[in-house]
Amino acid sequence: EDGFVTSKKLETFYFTLSMAPGVDEDALAESLDAGMPDGITNKLSEAPDDASISGLGLLLDGFYEWASDVLDMQVMGYHGDIKVVQTTEELQAIYRRLYGKELSQKSFYLYQEDILYVAAPDFTKEVMGHEFGHIVVCNYFVVQPSAKAAEVLAGYIEFQLRKLIVVQGQTEDGAG
């Protein structure tokens, strides 16, 4: 048992997002959307017209689809959980309850349970992109790749994200 307490849930096509007390959905959307490259936000216009999915839900789904496209790995019928706690201390406490040791990352993904855990301050495109890489890789292969191979592929998402940010920044500044 992870001890997570849910105060609000948001259903998207790919995820059930559970937010702990004190987590602000609008702040999560702003944090995730901050500086998001056009190549990713363009995916939002391709999303199905579903009024029941909020701005944050559309951002998550569009970003997840982008990560899948970057890796060229589409996971059919995928639906997982994302649990967002208010502080890194709360995230540490959950990790200690589950594993009995300290967490050295900003987030973690449990493949067996299909749950991604992240603290609200780290709900950024960089952290979520990396974790979406893990989600895609873990759910695409029948036999799990080595931890090193999975890290390389998740890191590739971060690399492509940074590349898009640089290209977009050069274009907006007139230098590209």
Side-chain angles (χ1 to χ4, degrees), residues 157-175:
I157 296 293
E158 289 181 82
F159 170 75
Q160 291 300 320
L161 182 60
R162 283 192 300 274
K163 196 165 91 173
L164 273 177
I165 291 168
V166 168
V167 168
Q168 180 174 314
Q170 288 175 347
T171 303
E172 288 174 358
D173 295 340

Side-chain angles (χ1 to χ4, degrees), residues 24-34 55-57 59 123:
D24 180 7
E25 180 180 337
D26 293 333
L28 293 180
E30 286 178 29
S31 178
L32 187 62
D33 195 29
L56 177 58
L59 275 171
F123 197 88

